[in-house]
């Protein structure tokens, strides 16, 4: 079956702009989580959506937001981009709660803010 | 301070050598997972351990969950260049909390 698909793979944006990233989970998986990965901080949890509802949220500013659609596809948005937002953004799907059953990750979106 | 600390942070070894990566915490986890991530890709789940003292083997990789369910180790026998990557442990706690470790970057030199 198809894996987790993230688009786009690479993105270059200017400070102050906004960006929307997309994630299509594995068919049948209702939980989608987003992580930010940087060399210095490792994997940092952004938020988790389950059946279109945000179930958990990490310690990120309100500039980071997300949503999930009825087909479980998810988007995350970052407004007013800062240089420090440059990172690999990973989407992960799982059948149930927040990775307890094991995550399947997408290949990520590499965001560079200049 | 991260809830799950991995050691070593970096490891460079010759092909054929053995190695062990550690994942430690002062907290108890209901389950613990290990992932491997290659450059430019997302992490891939290797194994999940759920019982204290549990040992699982995946070919040349041996995973152990500590008796108290606070720590875990990954042992690789006769490392190969294909084992190169970032190894991440991750733990689930009650209340739907899930944490990733700090990561161990492994390089196997041919």
């Amino acid at each position: 079956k198809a894996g987790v698909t993230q688009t786009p793979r690479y993105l270059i944006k200017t400070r102050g702009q906004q960006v929307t990233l997309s994630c299509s989970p594995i068919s049948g998986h209702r939980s989608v989580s987003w992580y930010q990965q940087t060399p210095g901080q490792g994997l940092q949890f952004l938020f988790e959506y389950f059946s279109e509802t945000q179930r958990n949220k990490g310690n990120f500013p309100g500039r980071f937001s997300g949503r999930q659609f009825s087909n479980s596809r998810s988007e995350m948005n970052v407004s007013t981009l800062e240089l420090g937002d440059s990172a690999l953004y990973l989407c992960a799907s799982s059948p149930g709660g927040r990775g307890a059953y094991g995550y399947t990750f997408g290949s990520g979106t590499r965001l560079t803010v200049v | 301070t991260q809830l799950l600390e991995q050691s070593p942070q970096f490891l460079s070894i010759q092909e054929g050598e053995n190695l062990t990566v550690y994942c430690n915490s002062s907290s108890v986890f209901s389950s613990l997972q290990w992932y491997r991530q290659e450059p430019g890709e997302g992490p891939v789940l290797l194994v999940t351990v759920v019982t204290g003292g549990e040992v699982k083997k995946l070919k040349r990789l041996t995973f152990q969950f500590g008796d108290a369910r606070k720590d875990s180790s990954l042992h690789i026998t006769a490392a190969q260049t294909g084992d190169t990557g970032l190894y991440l442990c991750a733990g689930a706690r009650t209340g739907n909390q899930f944490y990733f470790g700090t990561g161990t970057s492994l390089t196997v030199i041919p």
Side-chain angles (χ1 to χ4, degrees):
Chain A
K1 56 184 175 182
V4 178
T5 303
Q6 288 189 249
T7 56
R9 284 296 307 269
Y10 303 94
L11 208 47
I12 300 176
K13 289 287 188 178
T14 305
R15 270 182 302 175
Q17 287 186 312
Q18 75 164 14
V19 67
T20 299
L21 312 181
S22 180
C23 171
S24 293
I26 287 177
S27 178
H29 284 191
R30 295 164 66 188
S31 171
V32 174
S33 296
W34 289 89
Y35 284 85
Q36 181 195 66
Q37 187 175 34
T38 58
Q41 297 296 318
L43 272 166
Q44 300 290 315
F45 173 69
L46 281 155
F47 27 66
E48 182 211 2
Y49 287 88
F50 185 87
S51 295
E52 301 179 67
T53 301
Q54 187 180 90
R55 197 156 63 170
N56 288 290
K57 190 176 190 303
N59 295 324
F60 277 82
R63 300 185 296 107
F64 292 81
S65 63
R67 59 178 175 169
Q68 187 180 33
F69 303 95
S70 57
N71 61 357
S72 292
R73 191 177 71 85
S74 177
E75 289 181 347
M76 68 162 280
N77 184 79
V78 188
S79 62
T80 320
L81 284 165
E82 300 177 359
L83 295 179
D85 297 332
S86 294
L88 180 67
Y89 289 88
L90 291 162
C91 166
S93 79
S94 65
R98 207 179 154 192
Y101 303 98
Y103 279 133
T104 302
F105 281 89
S107 297
T109 294
R110 170 73 62 186
L111 172 65
T112 302
V113 182
V114 298
Chain B
T1 304
Q2 295 271 35
L3 200 62
L4 282 165
E5 295 284 343
Q6 289 184 237
S7 62
Q9 188 177 357
F10 298 97
L11 192 53
S12 182
I13 62 170
Q14 293 290 135
E15 198 169 26
E17 292 184 342
N18 301 333
L19 66 114
T20 302
V21 176
Y22 299 94
C23 174
N24 294 301
S25 177
S26 57
S27 300
V28 176
F29 292 89
S30 55
S31 67
L32 203 134
Q33 301 162 11
W34 284 91
Y35 293 79
R36 179 171 65 215
Q37 183 178 20
E38 297 184 13
E41 298 295 328
V44 175
L45 179 66
L46 297 173
V47 76
T48 300
V49 285
V50 296
T51 305
E54 182 176 2
V55 176
K56 278 193 174 179
K57 292 192 175 184
L58 188 67
K59 297 183 180 178
R60 295 174 295 101
L61 278 60
T62 301
F63 305 86
Q64 184 161 9
F65 201 10
D67 291 339
R69 291 187 288 127
K70 293 183 179 180
D71 54 79
S72 180
S73 64
L74 157 60
H75 182 78
I76 300 179
T77 303
Q80 300 176 355
T81 55
D83 296 327
T84 293
L86 178 69
Y87 287 82
L88 294 158
C89 64
R93 298 181 67 195
T94 55
N96 207 32
Q97 300 173 63
F98 193 76
Y99 303 89
F100 276 91
T102 49
T104 294
S105 180
L106 171 65
T107 302
V108 181
I109 303 165

